[in-house]
Amino acid sequence: APCPPHKMEKETERAGILVENLNRTKEGNLAGRENFAAKGNCKILNEGLRPGGFGYSALLLDPAPAASGDAPAEGKKDDKTSITFNTCFQKISDNNGVWHVRFWGKAMGGSAKLNISTGKNGEKKDVTLGGEWKQHDIVIKVDKLPKGDAGANNHLTFVCTPDAPLAIDDVEIWKEGDTNPTVFTDATIAAWKECGVGILRQPRMGGSTMENYIRPGMQKYKFESSPFFKPGTANPKAPDNWGLHEILVACEYLGIEPWWNLPGTLQLEEMDFLMEYLGGDTSTQGGKLRAELGHPKPWTESLKRIHIEIGNEAWNTDSTYLGGGFNGPDYWRDLFARLKKSPYYKPEKFVCHAAGQNYASDQSNRILGYTKSEDGKQLSDRYATALYQGHGMTQDEMAVLDTDEKLFKWIFSVAMNGYLGKLFQKQIEVSKKYGVEFSMYEINHHLSGGNAPIEPRNKIMASTGGGINILNTMLGSLKYGGMRDQCIFRWQMEMNTVPNLGKLRMFGINLTADKDRVRYRPIGLAFGMANRAIGGNLLETKQEGANPTFQMEVPGKKGKPPENFEFPVIHSYAFAEGKKRSLILFNFDLANEQEVEVKFDGATRGGAELRRLVSPHFTATNELDAGEPQVKVTEEKLPTFASGTKIKLAPCSMVTAAWEVGQ
C-alpha cells in the first residue's frame, strides 16, 4: 500500500512490512464459467442458504441470459445453463449400474425443475423443486456405456439443467453396490488388500486450517493458499477429494498405517488441535470433531502407527513447491517439539518425518541439524527421501543407448549405483551421525527431463524391466540403508502430462482395480509379490560361487566423461517372521536364464510356495491400449523344499519363495 505523503528525516525509517489478513472462506468459488463443468448463467449464492448446513454458499443456476457484466469471454458460446458432474473413464471402471444423485435444492421463485441427464448412456429425470430447501435422492439407471476397447475413453457425466432459477447444494453422486465403510470402492479396497499395502501416504503442499484439512471432502472449503494462486480461489487441478478423517477410516479398516502430509504452512497452535483430534477425548475441541465425524474412539487406540510429515518436499525451492512451507532452521524442530509435548503423544504411535531428498547428504546433514532441540535432543524420527530414478533422457544419450539392451542396462546401472554407490553411503553416514533412520516417501522412475523422445522413456517405465528395477531399488535401500518405511508413487495413473514433452506412462502402478478386469503394470505386480514375501526381520544373504555380473558404460552428462559400471546380475533378499521364511530373487540378465542353489540352516516342513513374474520379454507391458496383459504372476507349489534346492530364474525376472521351518 502507498505511504501517505510526508517528509521523512531518514529514508531507512520508511522500512516496514505490510501484512494482509485474508479471510475469504465465506465467499465461495466457481472455477470459471464456460468450461466443461459450468456453462451459461451459473453463480455463487451466499444468501438464503439451507438451515443447518455447514457451508457458506450454494450454486445458483439461472436459465436466463447472463447480465452484460457476466457475459462469457470473447469467443465462448453462451450455452444453456448447466452444471456437469463427471466420473472416471470407462477404461478405469465400468460405470454401468444404478446411481444415486442426492442433493439439497430449492426454487428461487414458486417452483422449478432440474433435469438430471446421463445423455445417451442411461436415464434422465426431472426433479421438481419448491420454494423451501429440501433434500432429494434420485435413482438413475445407466446401462448403455460401451464396455471394452470400444468405450475405453468414454466417461459418465451427470448434466444438471434448470428450467427456472434454482439453487442446489451438497451434491453427492455414487454408484450402488459398494459395502465397505470407507469412501473408496470395494474394488480399490480389495486391490489394496491383494497388494499388501501397509502405508497410505497423501502428498500435500500449500496451506489450510487443520479443521478444514481433517473434514471430509464434502465439508471442505475449497481454496488454495499457495502464493501462485489468487487468494480465496480454488485450484481446479488439485482438489481435496477427501479429508484426513476419511483416510484414517480406510487405514483403520485395512489395518494399515497412514503417512500424512500436514499443511505446509501449519501454525504451532494447529498442531495442538491435530493431537486432540488424534488422541484427545471428546471434551477437547479436536476430540469433539472426531466424534462428530463418527469416530468417538481416539485414533491412537485404533491405529498401529501414524506417520507425520510437514508439507510435501518443504525443502524444495523449485516452482510451486515454494508453497510447501518454510524450510528454515526452526521449521520441523518447533512443529515436532509441539507434537511431542502434547499430552496425547505416545512414542510408539507417532513417527515424525523431516522431508529431504534422494542422495543429497549435504542437505540431510543440514536438515537433521535443524530438527535438534536446543538441548540437543533429536526431534525427527525419520529423514524422508525420494529415490526417483532417471530424472531425464537426452538425445545425446539416446545416440549411445541405441538398443533396448543398452537402454535397460543403463537404467539398471543408474538405480544400482544409487543404493550401492558413494552418494548413498554418505547418506548412511549422516543417518548414523544423527541416529535417525531414513525412510522413503516416494520412488519411481522420473524420466521427465531432457530432449529425448517419449518412446524409450515409456518403454522403461511401463515394462517388466522397469518394474523390477524399482522394486529391487526399494529392497536394496532396505538392505543397505535400513529404510523400513517406504512408499511407491503412485497407486493409479495411466498418463502424466509433462510440459514441452507430452503424455508419459509415468508413476501409476495400477491401471484399473475394477472387478473382473484388474490390471497392474509390471511394477505393480512386482510390488504385490514383494509385499507378500516381506515380513518380520531382514536376514543376511550371501551370494557365492559363480556370481555373474553385467557391465555398462553410462554416457556422461554435461560434457563429463562416461562411467563404467559393473553390478551383480542376481540380487537376493530374505526375511524371517516366527517360523515363516521367505526369499526374493531378481535376475537382471536380459538374455540368459540363471539357476541358483538356495542353502540355509535347519529343516523345513510343508514344501514351499513360489511366485514368478512371468514375461515374454523385458520390454513387455500391460498397458490398457496393448490388448491382453503380457505380464502376469504365476504360483506353484514345491512339495519338498530343503537346503540345496535349485531355482531357475528366467531372463529379467523376479521370483519369491515362502516356506516354514521346523519338523
Side-chain angles (χ1 to χ4, degrees):
C3 293
H6 59 281
K7 186 177 179 180
M8 304 293 290
E9 292 297 326
K10 296 180 180 180
E11 186 67 22
T12 55
E13 293 180 10
R14 299 181 64 182
I17 184 170
L18 174 65
V19 178
E20 183 180 7
N21 182 19
L22 293 174
N23 183 10
R24 303 179 64 175
T25 58
K26 296 183 179 182
E27 292 183 10
N29 175 264
L30 189 63
R33 290 193 303 106
E34 298 307 319
N35 55 36
F36 176 78
K39 294 182 179 180
N41 196 4
C42 303
K43 296 182 179 180
I44 290 294
L45 179 68
N46 290 319
E47 298 178 351
L49 305 180
R50 71 177 181 90
F54 51 79
Y56 294 109
S57 60
L59 178 64
L60 174 63
L61 301 174
D62 189 345
S68 58
D70 296 326
E74 185 177 350
K76 294 286 187 178
K77 181 181 178 182
D78 193 2
D79 289 331
K80 182 182 294 187
T81 297
S82 66
I83 185 76
T84 297
F85 301 93
N86 61 293
T87 63
C88 65
F89 286 110
Q90 186 73 350
K91 61 185 174 185
I92 302 299
S93 182
D94 182 14
N95 286 313
N96 288 302
V98 177
W99 289 79
H100 286 251
V101 180
R102 185 166 65 193
F103 66 96
W104 286 83
K106 78 167 183 176
M108 301 308 291
S111 67
K113 286 185 179 180
L114 182 68
N115 178 264
I116 304 174
S117 173
T118 58
K120 62 182 180 180
N121 299 314
E123 293 181 321
K124 59 181 70 176
K125 291 189 175 181
D126 287 328
V127 185
T128 300
L129 307 183
E132 301 293 332
W133 282 102
K134 180 181 177 182
Q135 189 176 48
H136 301 266
D137 193 337
I138 311 304
V139 178
I140 294 181
K141 184 178 180 181
V142 176
D143 58 2
K144 296 181 176 60
L145 273 164
K147 298 181 179 180
D149 295 339
N153 291 316
N154 291 345
H155 65 263
L156 175 64
T157 61
F158 294 84
V159 182
C160 302
T161 307
D163 72 345
L166 57 84
I168 59 173
D169 198 8
D170 302 344
V171 181
E172 301 173 82
I173 302 176
W174 73 94
K175 182 182 175 184
E176 282 188 2
D178 292 311
T179 59
N180 79 84
T182 79
V183 296
F184 302 101
T185 65
D186 286 351
T188 298
I189 292 295
W192 287 348
K193 288 181 178 179
E194 179 187 38
C195 280
V197 171
I199 293 176
L200 196 59
R201 179 180 181 267
Q202 173 73 19
R204 171 76 195 199
M205 293 186 294
S208 186
T209 66
M210 186 55 67
E211 180 177 347
N212 197 48
Y213 188 65
I214 291 170
R215 284 189 176 276
M218 175 65 74
Q219 299 180 20
K220 285 181 176 292
Y221 301 132
K222 301 294 185 181
F223 69 94
E224 173 60 63
S225 70
S226 166
F228 303 95
F229 296 95
K230 294 180 180 179
T233 64
N235 174 8
K237 294 183 179 180
D240 283 330
N241 294 319
W242 44 72
L244 173 58
H245 186 86
E246 292 167 313
I247 292 295
L248 297 186
V249 170
C251 289
E252 180 184 49
Y253 181 69
L254 289 165
I256 64 176
E257 302 173 12
W259 179 332
W260 210 249
N261 280 134
L262 300 182
T265 52
L266 189 67
Q267 299 295 314
L268 289 174
E269 294 77 13
E270 292 277 61
M271 187 64 83
D272 299 337
F273 184 84
L274 171 68
M275 294 303 289
E276 290 177 355
Y277 165 76
L278 293 173
D281 60 41
T282 56
S283 67
T284 65
Q285 286 186 320
K288 180 181 178 182
L289 174 61
R290 186 187 65 244
E292 289 175 355
L293 295 176
H295 200 279
K297 186 177 182 179
W299 291 111
T300 50
E301 296 180 15
S302 60
L303 294 173
K304 180 180 178 182
R305 288 194 307 174
I306 301 169
H307 299 258
I308 299 294
E309 186 181 358
I310 314 297
N312 180 52
E313 301 191 5
W315 52 269
N316 198 336
T317 57
D318 179 50
S319 185
T320 56
Y321 285 88
L322 282 169
F326 175 63
N327 63 351
D330 61 349
Y331 185 65
W332 292 275
R333 182 193 67 203
D334 291 352
L335 288 166
F336 288 158
R338 192 79 168 217
L339 182 152
K340 293 187 174 183
K341 288 179 181 177
S342 169
Y344 310 110
Y345 170 70
K346 299 179 180 179
E348 71 279 9
K349 290 291 184 178
F350 289 91
V351 182
C352 295
H353 298 254
Q357 186 195 25
N358 57 36
Y359 308 107
S361 56
D362 57 336
Q363 186 180 80
S364 61
N365 188 60
R366 182 175 68 255
I367 289 177
L368 288 176
Y370 292 166
T371 60
K372 294 176 68 175
S373 64
E374 294 181 358
D375 61 0
K377 183 179 180 181
Q378 183 57 244
L379 298 170
S380 177
D381 304 307
R382 299 286 189 273
Y383 179 80
T385 63
L387 302 190
Y388 281 109
Q389 301 301 316
H391 279 75
M393 302 175 71
T394 66
Q395 293 279 13
D396 291 343
E397 287 174 326
M398 291 303 98
V400 177
L401 307 174
D402 55 356
T403 68
D404 287 345
E405 181 179 3
K406 291 180 181 178
L407 180 68
F408 277 79
K409 284 185 176 180
W410 166 74
I411 197 64
F412 294 164
S413 297
V414 168
M416 293 177 192
N417 186 54
Y419 72 84
L420 292 173
K422 295 180 180 178
L423 294 179
F424 192 75
Q425 294 308 311
K426 289 184 178 180
Q427 289 283 47
I428 301 308
E429 292 175 7
V430 175
S431 174
K432 292 178 179 178
K433 173 184 175 180
Y434 288 99
V436 176
E437 182 178 325
F438 278 30
S439 58
M440 192 181 297
Y441 69 86
E442 291 173 10
I443 186 175
N444 211 314
H445 293 109
H446 205 315
L447 298 169
S448 56
N451 59 3
I454 290 177
E455 190 272 337
R457 306 170 195 252
N458 286 340
K459 187 174 288 187
I460 289 174
M461 293 184 292
S463 66
T464 298
I468 68 171
N469 187 51
I470 292 300
L471 265 297
N472 182 64
T473 304
M474 296 177 77
L475 288 165
S477 299
L478 168 66
K479 183 174 183 177
Y480 299 101
M483 294 189 188
R484 294 181 296 172
D485 298 319
Q486 298 189 27
C487 301
I488 197 167
F489 188 82
R490 53 185 262 177
W491 169 248
Q492 197 170 69
M493 175 181 280
E494 182 188 15
M495 298 285 189
N496 185 52
T497 301
V498 177
N500 304 318
L501 191 61
K503 293 184 176 180
L504 294 182
R505 302 182 189 274
M506 192 161 64
F507 297 149
I509 70 170
N510 174 265
L511 295 169
T512 171
D514 210 14
K515 186 179 180 181
D516 301 327
R517 56 171 184 161
V518 178
R519 186 181 293 229
Y520 294 94
R521 282 186 168 134
I523 187 175
L525 296 176
F527 175 79
M529 288 177 63
N531 279 341
R532 282 178 175 235
I534 294 172
N537 297 316
L538 180 72
L539 300 178
E540 181 183 13
T541 60
K542 293 182 179 180
Q543 295 178 195
E544 300 175 340
N547 192 21
T549 62
F550 75 89
Q551 297 178 337
M552 182 62 196
E553 183 179 89
V554 175
K557 291 183 178 292
K558 298 180 180 180
K560 293 183 178 181
E563 294 183 81
N564 291 291
F565 292 110
E566 183 175 6
F567 291 110
V569 163
I570 297 171
H571 295 251
S572 59
Y573 310 91
F575 301 87
E577 185 174 17
K579 294 185 177 182
K580 296 179 180 179
R581 300 289 184 271
S582 58
L583 178 67
I584 302 176
L585 299 168
F586 294 93
N587 176 18
F588 283 93
D589 192 317
L590 297 175
N592 301 304
E593 180 182 78
Q594 299 290 337
E595 185 177 67
V596 299
E597 182 179 1
V598 182
K599 293 183 177 181
F600 50 86
D601 294 331
T604 65
R605 61 180 184 182
E609 293 182 351
L610 263 62
R611 292 185 174 86
R612 299 180 181 272
L613 189 67
V614 177
S615 173
H617 193 260
F618 58 85
T619 61
T621 180
N622 284 348
E623 295 305 291
L624 293 167
D625 55 8
E628 290 298 312
Q630 301 170 15
V631 188
K632 60 183 179 180
V633 175
T634 63
E635 300 181 4
E636 59 184 287
K637 178 76 173 180
L638 299 181
T640 58
F641 188 77
S643 181
T645 298
K646 295 181 179 180
I647 299 176
K648 292 184 177 181
L649 309 177
C652 193
S653 67
M654 175 181 179
V655 175
T656 67
W659 67 95
E660 289 190 2
V661 297
Q663 298 294 335

